[in-house]
Amino acid sequence: MRRAIAFTMLLPILIAAPAAAEDLAHGRQLAERWCAACHIVAAEPSKFRRARPFAAIAARESVTRDMLVQFLQLPHATMANNPLSATDAADIAFYILSLRK
């Protein structure tokens, strides 16, 4: 009985753990490696490339973490075909949204 109560109390923490595991530094590293050929991935302004800067993507209020993660995991004709794990996609999404002002 005590185990069931303890598990019930820990369940919300266990469910929330993957969201808290997002790694900002890893997301930036992946963005610099895979996305910087077309996107400006840093917050600092620089020469515009072929695709929308990450800061501009982050500035859109309608853009959510889940939307970015799903988009990053789908094949996209104008993007490099780099298969991303769910964790990598979440880290990149976390990094993009960190640029939101």
Side-chain angles (χ1 to χ4, degrees):
M1 181 72 162
R2 283 187 172 180
R3 284 185 185 178
I5 293 171
F7 180 75
T8 303
M9 293 173 64
L10 287 175
L11 188 60
I13 295 169
L14 295 172
I15 291 171
E22 292 168 332
D23 185 337
L24 185 64
H26 185 242
R28 182 178 179 135
Q29 178 186 33
L30 290 171
E32 288 171 346
R33 183 182 330 147
W34 297 114
C35 310
C38 298
H39 293 272
I40 297 169
V41 299
E44 302 82 32
S46 65
K47 183 179 160 193
F48 183 75
R49 305 222 178 161
R50 296 182 292 194
R52 185 172 285 253
F54 278 6
I57 294 169
R60 299 183 90 184
E61 290 183 28
S62 61
V63 173
T64 66
R65 175 202 168 277
D66 291 337
M67 177 190 299
L68 288 171
V69 170
Q70 289 177 353
F71 178 79
L72 290 167
Q73 292 184 294
L74 293 174
H76 190 68
T78 60
M79 286 174 42
N81 192 14
N82 301 314
L84 294 171
S85 69
T87 301
D88 288 347
D91 288 349
I92 293 172
F94 185 56
Y95 172 68
I96 291 171
L97 292 176
S98 76
L99 301 173
R100 186 173 274 170
K101 294 182 181 181

